[in-house]
Amino acid sequence: EAGVTQSPTHLIKTRGQQATLRCSPISGHTSVYWYQQALGLGLQFLLWYDEGEERNRGNFPPRFSGRQFPNYSSELNVNALELEDSALYLCASSLEDSRRTIYFGEGSWLTVV
Amino acid sequence: QQQVKQSPQSLIVQKGGISIINCAYENTAFDYFPWYQQFPGKGPALLIAIRPDVSEKKEGRFTISFNKSAKQFSLHIMDSQPGDSATYFCAASGTSGSRLTFGEGTQLTVNP
């Protein structure tokens, strides 16, 4: 069974640009979560999508946004990139009836220069 | 109140020794406490989890101890191996949603 897949693996953007990261959940999983892992700052919750709706949002500015598609895949958009947005962005998914157990992908490295 | 405090930040253990990582929380609404293991270049993987109705859960060499009154829980890795070298994160979530709150992480190094 395929795990959570993310693309791209690495992305380099210039300050002020926009970045789009993509995630495909494990087959059958309807919830998708996004986390930011910056160096030395642990895992910070960004967004939770379920059944196409945004269910919860972490303490991040509005330039971090996303969506979930009918096939449950998801996209994270970061607008007006800042140098401190450089981080590993992790997507995770879970079954609707087991939302506590989330499975992570390997992440997308975003570097803002 | 949403924070989970994890210690130590880094830990070095000899092969065969016991690795102990501790976490503390404030939010009494938390009722699910997983541990994740992350190898370099990989996403975190669920290792073991516990709910507050039990004080200990063991899976192989990994044991979670839970102290509800102290609002603390810990991960014990028995007979630590070099392959256990990774970053370990504790986490917690409550019934209000699926938002996992993670600790800061512990970088474990097991020397051969």
Side-chain angles (χ1 to χ4, degrees), chain B residues 21-107:
Chain B
I21 304 170
N22 300 298
C23 285
Y25 64 97
E26 290 294 324
N27 189 344
T28 54
F30 285 151
D31 65 351
Y32 176 70
F33 303 89
W35 285 88
Y36 282 79
Q37 178 189 57
Q38 185 178 28
F39 293 106
K42 301 289 186 181
L46 179 65
L47 191 61
I48 186 173
I50 197 168
R51 296 187 187 275
D53 52 344
V54 296
S55 60
E56 187 176 280
K57 182 174 181 179
K58 183 176 180 180
E59 289 185 3
R61 296 184 295 109
F62 299 90
T63 300
I64 300 178
S65 297
F66 187 83
N67 185 329
K68 188 174 181 178
S69 61
K71 291 186 284 186
Q72 294 175 347
F73 58 110
S74 60
L75 176 69
H76 292 64
I77 306 174
M78 312 301 287
D79 187 27
S80 298
Q81 299 297 312
D84 296 330
S85 296
T87 300
Y88 292 80
F89 292 93
C90 63
S93 71
T95 55
S96 62
S98 299
R99 176 176 175 166
L100 271 176
T101 300
F102 284 85
E104 299 90 344
T106 296
Q107 189 168 351

Side-chain angles (χ1 to χ4, degrees), chain A residues 31 33 35 37 40-45 48 56-59 88 90 94 99-107 109, chain B residues 9 31-32 34 36 38 41-46 51 87 89 93-105:
Chain A
S31 283
Y33 312 81
Y35 284 82
Q37 187 174 25
L41 291 180
L43 290 155
Q44 305 296 319
F45 170 76
W48 168 31
N56 204 341
R57 181 181 183 87
N59 188 25
L88 177 66
L90 291 160
S94 70
R99 288 177 178 161
R100 310 301 189 89
T101 305
I102 69 173
Y103 300 88
F104 284 91
E106 298 198 346
W109 284 99
Chain B
Q9 191 173 21
D31 65 351
Y32 176 70
Y36 282 79
Q38 185 178 28
K42 301 289 186 181
L46 179 65
R51 296 187 187 275
T87 300
F89 292 93
S93 71
T95 55
S96 62
S98 299
R99 176 176 175 166
L100 271 176
T101 300
F102 284 85
E104 299 90 344

Side-chain angles (χ1 to χ4, degrees), chain A residues 30-34 45-58 65-69 72 74 94-96 99, chain B residues 95-100:
Chain A
T30 60
S31 283
V32 170
Y33 312 81
W34 287 95
F45 170 76
L46 266 165
L47 291 158
W48 168 31
Y49 290 96
D50 182 64
E51 297 288 350
E53 300 283 333
E54 182 180 301
R55 301 296 186 185
N56 204 341
R57 181 181 183 87
S65 65
R67 54 180 171 166
Q68 187 178 33
F69 299 99
Y72 304 113
S74 178
S94 70
L95 287 166
E96 180 183 8
R99 288 177 178 161
Chain B
T95 55
S96 62
S98 299
R99 176 176 175 166
L100 271 176

